[in-house]
Amino acid sequence: MNVTTADDTTSTGQAGPLTGTTDRGTWREFFVEHAIKAAGISMIAIVGLIFFFLLREGLPTLGEVPLGALLGTRWYPIEELYGLIPLVIGSLLVTAGSVLIAVPLGLTTAIYLSEIAPQWQRDILKPLIEVLAGIPSIVLGFLGWVALAPLIQSLGAPTGLTAFTGSLVLAYMALPTIISISEDALYAVPKEYRDGALAIGATQWQAIRMVVLRAASPGLVTAVMLGIGRAIGETMAVMMVTGNAANMPAFGPAILFEPVRTMTATIAAEMGEVSQGSVHYHTLFLIGILLFIITFAINSLAGRLIGGQEQRRKRGQI
Amino acid sequence: MNGRRTPGMRLHLLNGLAILVLALTGCQPVSSGSESGADSDRAIQNKGSDTLVNLALAWAESYREVRPEVSIAVTGGGTGTGIAALINGTVDIANASREMSEEEIAEARANGITPVEFIVAIDALAVIVNPDNPVERLTIEQLSDIFTGRITNWREVGGNDAPVVVVSRESNSGTHVYFLETVVRRGSKENEDIFAPRTLLMPSSVGITSEVQRNPNAIGYDGLGYVTPHEKLIAVAQDAGSPYVLPSVESGEDGSYPLARYLYMYTAGEPDETIMAYLDWIRGPEGQAIVADLGFVPYAGN
C-alpha cells in the first residue's frame, strides 16, 4: 500500500491552482512553492555540509597515522595507539547481539499484533509499544546499569558490564522501530491474499508463513535494517553498560560476555579532552566518518529494498 | 483505513523522531565560556578534574560569602577536558589532578595562552577493592602487574581463586595519567607499559566506586575524598621491603603514603586581580580548611 503515495500527491497537487485564480492567489502559490523548494534544498545542503565537515576534520588522520597503525588492535590515544579494530568489533558485536535478540522478538510481536491478536489487545499493545519508543535512551541505559549488569554478573561473567548487556539494552531500543514498521508491512498485505489462502485449505499458520510473510518480506527487511541503524548509532546507553574496554574479545562461545568499547562511546568519552586539530581529534572524526558510512549503507540498502518492492508491485508480481 | 497509515509515513515519523533524539542527546554545548566578557559582575569559568570538582564547588560556594559579586561556574569532565578548554581559550581556570605536559603547554602557547600553575591541595590516591575481597595490601609492583594484565587471578597476590576485574577512569582523567605514570610504569620514564586492554574505563568516579561495590573481583582507584565505607582501602608499599601504608590525611601529609599527589589549578595567562584574589583565598587558611573537610590533604607550602 505504500505504492500509491506518489500518485496521490500528484493528483492532489493538481487540485491546488483551481482554488485561487486571482493574482494574489498565484503570488501565494509562487511563494509557497518556492518556500517548500528552499526547505528541501536546504536539507540537502545541510547533509552535504555535515559530510564535508566530517571529511575535512577526519581525513587528515590518513596522512598523520599510517594505515597499518589504524588497523592495529590497540586503542590508547594518550600513547598514540590509534588501532580502530577493537572499536569496530565492539560496535559490530553489540549491534549483532541486539539484532539477534530484537529481530525474532520484534517480528513475532508484529505477526501477533497484525494477524492473531483480537482488536482489544491491539488497542492496548500498540500504545504501549509507542511508549517504549518514547523512553529516553539514557533511562534504558541507567536501568541496564543498575538492574541488568548485576544480573549478568550473577550468571558467572567476571563483570556485568559486557557486550551482551549493551545488546540487551539496544534490543529494547530497536524493538519499537522493528515492531511498528513490520506491523505496518504485514497490515498492508491485502485481505484477499489471506482469504484466498484460507479458502484453498491453508491453516492460519500456513497462510501467515507462506503468503503474508512472503508478501510483506521487503517491508520486514526494511524494519530490521532501520532497527540495526538505530542500534549502531546509540551512544549513551551503550557507554553506561559495555565497560568501555578497548578489548579484542576472544572468539568463542563467551564472546558476547566480554567488555567492549564501541565507536560511538569512544567519540562521546574522548571528544571533550582533545585539543582541536590534534591527531586524536582527527581520528575521532575518522571514526565519525566510519559510522556515517555504515549507517548510510544500511539506510540506502533499506531504501533500495522499499524501492524494489514498489516496482515489483507495480508490475503485479507480488 | 489503508490510505491513512502508509509505512512511508511511519518511516518519516521515525526518522524525524530519530533526528530529534539525536539533537537532544547527541550534541552537548561545546563552549562554556562564551559569555565571560563583562567585567563588572565577574563570572569565572572553572573546569576540569573530576577529582577536584567537589572541592572546587565547595570553594566556589563559600567564596560567594566572601565576594558575592564574583560568580564562579564550576564543571567537571576530567583533567584532560579542563586543559583542552584552557588551550582552546574557553575557561579562566582549569582544574588538574596532574601537571600539564610539555606538549599541552606548547599547544597553549601556540594559541597565545601561557598557563600559570598553582598547587591548591594534596590528594592521597586510594586503591580500592570490594569489602569481600580478602586481599589487604599490595606493592606498587603487584599493582602494576595487576593493571597491565600480567596478573589475572587474585590467587597470585594471596586472594581467592577468581579473575581480577580491573577498573580505571577514562584516559581524559588526570588520575588515570597519574596512575599510569606512578603505578603502572612505576615512575620510570623508559617504562612503556599501559593498562591491560580489558580494563573497564569508567566515565566518572562514581562509575568506579559502584563497580567495586557490587563486583567482588574488581579493583580500582579513586581520590581518597571519594571513597565510601562500601569499598575497602588497600595498604600500599613502594616495594616489598617498605612498610605498607593505608591512605589517609595524615599519611598523605607526612609523605609516608606512596600515592599522594598535588592537585593543581591552571590559569589562562597571568591571573587578573579577581582571579588572583580567588586563588589566594583558596590557598589561604579558609580554603585549606575546606580541603581538610572534604577528605583531601591541605597543602602547607604556600
Side-chain angles (χ1 to χ4, degrees), chain B residues 227-242:
Chain B
V227 178
T228 70
H230 306 291
E231 302 108 43
K232 187 166 94 175
L233 294 167
I234 291 283
V236 180
Q238 192 65 48
D239 47 61
S242 313

Side-chain angles (χ1 to χ4, degrees), chain A residues 26 47 66 97 102 112:
Chain A
T26 358
V47 172
Y112 179 73

Side-chain angles (χ1 to χ4, degrees), chain A residues 6-310:
Chain A
D7 299 354
D8 283 352
T9 46
T10 46
S11 59
T12 49
Q14 278 162 1
L18 296 177
T19 53
T21 42
T22 59
D23 277 356
R24 240 181 92 212
T26 358
W27 186 83
R28 184 186 288 170
E29 187 75 9
F30 171 85
F31 178 77
V32 169
E33 204 172 281
H34 281 78
I36 292 173
K37 196 189 245 176
I41 290 174
S42 71
M43 200 62 221
I44 298 171
I46 288 170
V47 172
L49 279 175
I50 291 175
F51 195 60
F52 170 76
F53 184 74
L54 269 179
L55 288 181
R56 198 193 66 177
E57 301 293 325
L59 286 186
T61 314
L62 299 177
E64 291 159 349
V65 185
L67 198 62
L70 286 175
L71 295 175
T73 58
R74 193 68 219 259
W75 172 263
Y76 196 63
I78 54 175
E79 283 299 310
E80 272 138 36
L81 293 169
Y82 294 110
L84 301 178
I85 300 296
L87 310 180
V88 175
I89 290 184
S91 275
L92 293 182
L93 260 186
V94 174
T95 309
S98 74
V99 169
L100 283 180
I101 300 163
V103 167
L105 259 180
L107 289 187
T108 45
T109 309
I111 291 171
Y112 179 73
L113 275 178
S114 155
E115 306 297 319
I116 299 161
Q119 189 60 39
W120 66 270
Q121 285 187 8
R122 295 170 50 96
D123 290 344
I124 298 172
L125 284 172
K126 290 214 66 167
L128 277 180
I129 289 163
E130 317 257 303
V131 169
L132 187 60
I135 299 176
S137 62
I138 192 84
V139 174
L140 282 175
F142 191 65
L143 281 176
W145 187 59
V146 171
L148 268 182
L151 194 72
I152 284 164
Q153 191 182 309
S154 68
L155 295 178
T159 169
L161 303 171
T162 64
F164 184 69
T165 324
S167 296
L168 274 176
V169 171
L170 280 189
Y172 272 85
M173 234 169 271
L175 266 178
T177 312
I178 295 179
I179 294 174
S180 39
I181 295 173
S182 44
E183 202 256 346
D184 278 334
L186 293 170
Y187 202 84
V189 175
K191 190 169 179 295
E192 292 78 18
Y193 290 17
R194 298 183 184 83
D195 292 346
L198 295 174
I200 59 171
T203 63
Q204 192 182 14
W205 169 233
Q206 282 171 329
I208 291 172
R209 186 165 55 95
M210 294 164 143
V211 178
V212 180
L213 279 184
R214 206 158 287 183
S217 59
L220 301 182
V221 175
T222 308
V224 171
M225 290 293 190
L226 289 172
I228 297 174
R230 175 94 172 80
I232 202 161
E234 175 51 40
T235 306
M236 285 313 290
V238 173
M239 197 160 126
M240 294 175 80
V241 298
T242 56
N244 298 323
N247 173 30
M248 293 287 288
F251 280 95
I255 187 167
L256 276 176
F257 289 91
E258 293 200 33
V260 294
R261 187 178 183 88
T262 63
M263 297 195 271
T264 48
T266 305
I267 298 178
E270 295 173 15
M271 210 60 214
E273 74 178 279
V274 298
S275 62
Q276 285 167 22
S278 63
V279 180
H280 187 187
Y281 174 85
H282 290 150
T283 313
L284 290 182
F285 270 96
L286 187 73
I287 298 174
I289 295 176
L290 272 180
L291 268 173
F292 190 92
I293 291 172
I294 294 173
T295 36
F296 186 78
I298 291 170
N299 278 342
S300 50
L301 201 59
R304 178 160 299 185
L305 287 165
I306 295 177
Q309 181 195 27
E310 283 185 15

Side-chain angles (χ1 to χ4, degrees), chain A residues 1 74 76 145 159 275, chain B residues 5 11 107 176 195 211 214:
Chain A
M1 67 182 239
R74 193 68 219 259
Y76 196 63
W145 187 59
T159 169
S275 62
Chain B
R5 315 182 324 150
L11 266 179
E107 276 178 57
H176 176 108
F195 286 89
E211 178 67 9
R214 70 186 181 194

